[in-house]
Amino acid sequence: MNQTGISSYTEPQLAELVKEMGQPAFRAKQLFKWLHEKQARSFSEMTDQPKAFLAALEERFFIETLETERRQQSKDGTVKYLFRLPDGNCIETVLMRYSYGNTVCVSTQVGCRMGCRFCASTQGGRVRNLTAGEIANEVYAAARDTGERVSHIVLMGIGEPLDNFDHVMDFLSIISSPNGVNIGMRNISLSTCGLVPMIYKLAERHLGLTLSVSLHAPTDEMRSSMMPVNDVYPVEQLIRACRDYQQETGRRVSFEYSMVNGVNDSPQTARRLAQLIKGMGAHVNLIPINPVDGSPYSATDAANVKRFQTLLTELGVNATVRRRLGTDISAACGQLRREAKGGTTA
C-alpha cells in the first residue's frame, strides 16, 4: 500500500494539500477538524465534504488507527494499553488519573535504540519511528476508551522522542491546535535521555513545554554504566545544554532520577547531584524503578528514597518522589509489549 497517513499532516501541510488538489482553502480547516476534533476513523464520516474530494483523498491516503490488542486497569485507576499498528507492530500507552485531570503517556517509537540498562523498552532495539498521526491516536484512543477528557500529555513511553524529532514536532503542532483537542504546551512534558544537539534544536522552537531530562546519575562513570548515551554526550555537556535551554526558553528543566539500589542512591551521590545542578532552580523527580525482567537493577526501598529526597531538599534542590502507578499491571515501559511477544521485543 503506497498510501500516506493523512492524520500526520499539520494544518499548514493540509492547507498545501488542499490547494494542490484544487479545493478551496477552507477545506483544510474542515479536514483537520474531522481528523483531530471529531476524530473520524473513515473518510465516509466527513459528511460536509464533496464526494469527489473524499474519493480523491481515499485513493491517496488512509486515516491512521490503532487497535487495542490488550487493556489492563490497575486498582489505582491507571489504564495501560497495548495497541497494534496496521503493520502488526505493537506500542504501549498509559492513561494516569490525577486530581488535576488525566495524563496520557505516549510512545514515540516502536522500540528504542538508546540502550538504557534499567528499561524494558530498549530490549530488542528500535524497529521504526511512529508518525505524528500514530502518536496523536494514542491520546484519542485512550480518551475514547475511558470516555474521559485528556488534559495532559507526557512523551515518556517507548522510544526517545528527540530521536524522532520531526514527527514529534508535527505531533505537538497537531495536539495543541485549537482546531483539534487543544492541549496546551504547558500541559505537555517531553522526556529525553540527553541527545544534546537535539536539545539545542528543541530550544530554538520556544514551544513552552516542559523538558524532562533522564539524568539518573551525577557522574560520567555512574551514568555510563546505566545509560550508553552518556558515552556520546557526557554529563558536563548535557548539563551545559540544559542550562542553555533554560536561558534560551525561560523554561526550567526537570530531571528524572530513577533510584537504583546500590548504584545511585547513596548520600554522597545526592550531594554530587545537588552540586551538579546548583543554581538552575531545576526540579528533580525521584523515581522508584519498576522491576524489569532481564535487568540487573532493583529498586531502592522507600525509606532510602525518602532519605535521598530529604538530603536534596536540605541542599536546596526541589525534589519530589513520583507516585508509583500501575505496579500491578506491568507498568514499566515495554513490559506489556514483551509479554505479548512471548518475552521478545521484535
Side-chain angles (χ1 to χ4, degrees):
M1 181 174 65
N2 295 321
Q3 293 170 306
T4 303
I6 197 168
S7 305
S8 294
Y9 277 54
T10 63
E11 288 175 279
Q13 290 166 347
L14 281 178
E16 286 296 315
L17 173 66
V18 163
K19 181 180 178 182
E20 173 205 320
M21 297 180 73
Q23 294 292 320
F26 67 84
R27 293 257 180 258
K29 183 176 179 179
Q30 290 178 330
L31 194 53
F32 188 89
K33 280 179 167 286
W34 273 112
L35 292 168
H36 300 290
E37 182 184 59
K38 301 173 185 177
Q39 295 163 32
R41 305 188 79 186
S42 68
F43 290 110
S44 62
E45 296 175 42
M46 302 178 183
T47 52
D48 60 354
Q49 301 299 296
K51 289 184 179 179
F53 178 47
L54 292 178
L57 286 173
E58 200 151 17
E59 279 186 15
R60 294 176 54 183
F61 301 98
F62 66 96
I63 298 174
E64 290 102 317
T65 58
L66 301 173
E67 297 301 324
T68 303
E69 183 79 7
R70 193 170 171 188
R71 180 189 191 274
Q72 293 183 333
Q73 180 154 343
S74 170
K75 56 190 177 186
D76 62 28
T78 301
V79 185
K80 186 161 190 177
Y81 303 93
L82 182 70
F83 289 128
R84 187 168 294 279
L85 302 161
D87 64 3
N89 281 301
C90 288
I91 55 171
E92 294 177 18
T93 307
V94 182
L95 180 138
M96 298 166 286
R97 293 180 167 98
Y98 295 98
S99 58
Y100 54 77
N102 291 338
T103 295
V104 169
C105 179
V106 298
S107 295
T108 55
Q109 296 177 310
V110 179
C112 181
R113 63 176 177 170
M114 295 298 112
C116 298
R117 295 185 175 97
F118 50 84
C119 179
S121 299
T122 197
Q123 296 175 5
R126 182 188 65 173
V127 178
R128 70 170 176 86
N129 289 330
L130 294 181
T131 67
E134 288 171 335
I135 303 169
N137 266 286
E138 295 180 64
V139 180
Y140 305 158
R144 186 164 51 242
D145 173 68
T146 59
E148 300 170 13
R149 172 172 164 72
V150 172
S151 58
H152 293 68
I153 296 170
V154 291
L155 291 87
M156 295 183 183
I158 296 174
E160 162 57 57
L162 296 186
D163 192 36
N164 185 17
F165 190 86
D166 291 340
H167 288 158
V168 165
M169 293 304 108
D170 285 349
F171 159 73
L172 292 172
S173 173
I174 288 166
I175 211 72
S176 62
S177 168
N179 293 317
V181 293
N182 194 22
I183 298 175
M185 285 290 178
R186 290 184 182 272
N187 288 347
I188 298 175
S189 181
L190 183 152
S191 178
T192 177
C193 67
L195 303 184
V196 167
M198 308 314 288
I199 291 174
Y200 283 104
K201 193 172 178 180
L202 181 65
E204 294 171 0
R205 300 208 171 210
H206 291 265
L207 292 179
L209 51 70
T210 297
L211 177 63
S212 183
V213 176
S214 296
L215 184 59
H216 307 314
T219 69
D220 283 328
E221 182 181 8
M222 194 181 300
R223 194 166 188 263
S224 289
S225 73
M226 301 169 70
M227 305 175 70
V229 69
N230 194 77
D231 293 335
V232 183
Y233 306 113
V235 170
E236 183 181 348
Q237 277 189 37
L238 176 58
I239 297 301
R240 186 186 310 123
C242 291
R243 291 182 185 274
D244 291 344
Y245 180 92
Q246 288 193 168
Q247 185 172 356
E248 176 68 25
T249 64
R251 298 282 293 166
R252 286 191 299 178
V253 171
S254 175
F255 290 108
E256 305 289 322
Y257 195 94
S258 291
M259 300 288 291
V260 182
N261 183 41
V263 176
N264 65 349
D265 58 349
S266 70
Q268 181 185 20
T269 304
R271 293 186 187 96
R272 286 179 172 176
L273 175 61
Q275 184 63 34
L276 180 69
I277 63 175
K278 185 178 180 180
M280 294 183 69
H283 171 248
V284 175
N285 193 13
L286 301 175
I287 308 166
I289 63 169
N290 285 306
V292 174
D293 291 341
S295 170
Y297 297 127
S298 59
T300 298
D301 65 84
N304 200 37
V305 173
K306 183 63 179 175
R307 285 193 292 271
F308 198 93
Q309 178 197 15
T310 299
L311 181 52
L312 286 177
T313 302
E314 290 172 353
L315 293 168
V317 175
N318 176 20
T320 57
V321 180
R322 178 183 288 178
R323 178 179 155 209
R324 296 186 76 178
L325 297 175
T327 54
D328 55 327
I329 56 168
S330 302
C333 286
Q335 286 193 186
L336 198 60
R337 179 170 167 255
R338 289 180 68 215
E339 290 168 10
K341 293 290 185 181
T344 69
T345 55

